[in-house]
Amino acid sequence: MKKRILLSASLFHALTDAATIVTPTIFPILYSQAFLIRKYSQIGLLSNLGLITTILVQFWVVALSFRYEYRYLMLASGLGICLANFLIPLSPSFTVLMLLFILLRGFTSFYHPVVIAWISRSR
């Protein structure tokens, strides 16, 4: 059981890190093409809103983890990451891109508080 938990934690860590790292790499490309991102400051806005979202959602996830099973929270996180990554390329405007990126960062915020508690509880 403990090995399965560690394997699951590793896979979710790979998913959240990939989503957190890969998606922002398109921002300079969008800026250079003047598509969706027209000002360099918009990249900073996206980055900072993403960090603020991560901090706030992590506190909320800790509160949720007392009420819900870890597996359900991780399932919601995985599905949310996949949905956001699917929708981000379809963004018609900077505002929609920003909202979808905030959604993505919100769902990637589940990993650390949930999995640390999950591993601590199993050990």
Side-chain angles (χ1 to χ4, degrees), residues 19 23 78-91 100 103-104:
T23 304
L79 292 174
I81 290 168
C82 292
L83 178 67
N85 276 325
F86 176 76
L87 294 175
I88 283 174
L90 305 175
S91 299
L100 289 172
L103 180 73
L104 174 68

Coordinates of all heavy atoms in Angstrom, one line a residue, residues 19 23 78-91 100 103-104:
A19 N 2.4 20.7 -15.9 CA 1.4 21.7 -16.2 C 1.8 23.1 -15.7 O 1.6 24.1 -16.4 CB 0.1 21.3 -15.5
T23 N 3.0 25.2 -19.5 CA 2.0 26.2 -20.0 C 2.6 27.6 -20.0 O 2.5 28.3 -21.0 CB 0.8 26.2 -19.1 OG1 0.2 24.9 -19.1 CG2 -0.3 27.2 -19.6
G78 N -6.5 16.3 -10.9 CA -6.1 15.8 -12.2 C -7.0 16.1 -13.3 O -6.6 16.5 -14.4
L79 N -8.3 16.0 -13.0 CA -9.3 16.3 -14.1 C -9.3 17.8 -14.4 O -9.4 18.2 -15.5 CB -10.7 15.9 -13.6 CG -10.9 14.4 -13.6 CD1 -12.3 14.1 -13.0 CD2 -10.8 13.7 -14.9
G80 N -9.2 18.6 -13.4 CA -9.1 20.1 -13.5 C -7.9 20.5 -14.3 O -8.0 21.4 -15.2
I81 N -6.7 19.9 -14.1 CA -5.5 20.2 -14.8 C -5.7 19.8 -16.3 O -5.4 20.6 -17.2 CB -4.3 19.5 -14.2 CG1 -3.9 20.0 -12.8 CG2 -3.1 19.5 -15.1 CD1 -3.0 19.2 -12.1
C82 N -6.2 18.7 -16.5 CA -6.5 18.2 -17.9 C -7.5 19.2 -18.6 O -7.2 19.5 -19.8 CB -7.0 16.8 -17.9 SG -5.8 15.6 -17.4
L83 N -8.5 19.5 -18.0 CA -9.5 20.4 -18.6 C -8.9 21.8 -18.9 O -9.1 22.3 -20.0 CB -10.7 20.6 -17.6 CG -11.8 21.5 -18.1 CD1 -12.5 21.0 -19.4 CD2 -12.8 21.8 -17.0
A84 N -8.2 22.4 -17.9 CA -7.6 23.7 -18.2 C -6.6 23.6 -19.3 O -6.5 24.5 -20.1 CB -6.9 24.2 -16.9
N85 N -5.7 22.6 -19.3 CA -4.8 22.4 -20.4 C -5.4 22.2 -21.8 O -4.9 22.6 -22.8 CB -3.8 21.3 -20.1 CG -2.6 21.8 -19.2 OD1 -2.2 22.9 -19.3 ND2 -2.2 20.9 -18.4
F86 N -6.6 21.6 -21.8 CA -7.3 21.5 -23.0 C -7.9 22.8 -23.5 O -7.9 23.1 -24.7 CB -8.5 20.4 -22.8 CG -9.3 20.3 -24.0 CD1 -8.9 19.6 -25.1 CD2 -10.6 20.9 -24.0 CE1 -9.7 19.5 -26.3 CE2 -11.4 20.8 -25.2 CZ -11.0 20.0 -26.3
L87 N -8.4 23.6 -22.5 CA -9.1 24.9 -22.9 C -8.2 26.0 -23.2 O -8.5 27.0 -23.9 CB -10.1 25.2 -21.8 CG -11.3 24.3 -21.6 CD1 -12.1 24.7 -20.4 CD2 -12.1 24.2 -22.9
I88 N -7.0 26.1 -22.6 CA -6.1 27.2 -22.7 C -5.7 27.5 -24.2 O -5.8 28.7 -24.6 CB -4.8 27.0 -21.8 CG1 -5.1 27.3 -20.4 CG2 -3.7 27.9 -22.3 CD1 -4.0 27.1 -19.4
P89 N -5.4 26.5 -25.0 CA -5.2 26.8 -26.4 C -6.4 27.4 -27.2 O -6.2 28.0 -28.2 CB -4.8 25.5 -27.0 CG -4.3 24.7 -25.9 CD -5.1 25.1 -24.7
L90 N -7.6 27.2 -26.6 CA -8.8 27.7 -27.3 C -9.1 29.2 -26.9 O -10.2 29.7 -27.3 CB -9.9 26.8 -27.0 CG -9.7 25.3 -27.4 CD1 -10.9 24.5 -26.9 CD2 -9.5 25.2 -28.8
S91 N -8.3 29.8 -26.1 CA -8.6 31.1 -25.5 C -8.7 32.1 -26.6 O -7.8 32.3 -27.5 CB -7.4 31.6 -24.6 OG -7.3 30.7 -23.5
L100 N -8.3 31.1 -17.4 CA -8.0 29.7 -17.5 C -6.7 29.3 -16.9 O -6.5 28.3 -16.3 CB -8.0 29.2 -19.0 CG -9.4 29.2 -19.7 CD1 -9.2 29.0 -21.2 CD2 -10.2 28.1 -19.0
L103 N -7.3 29.1 -13.3 CA -8.0 27.8 -13.0 C -6.9 26.7 -13.0 O -7.0 25.9 -12.1 CB -9.0 27.6 -14.1 CG -9.8 26.3 -14.0 CD1 -10.8 26.3 -12.9 CD2 -10.5 26.0 -15.3
L104 N -6.0 26.7 -14.0 CA -5.0 25.7 -14.0 C -4.1 25.8 -12.7 O -3.9 24.8 -12.1 CB -4.1 25.9 -15.2 CG -2.8 25.1 -15.3 CD1 -3.2 23.6 -15.5 CD2 -1.9 25.5 -16.4

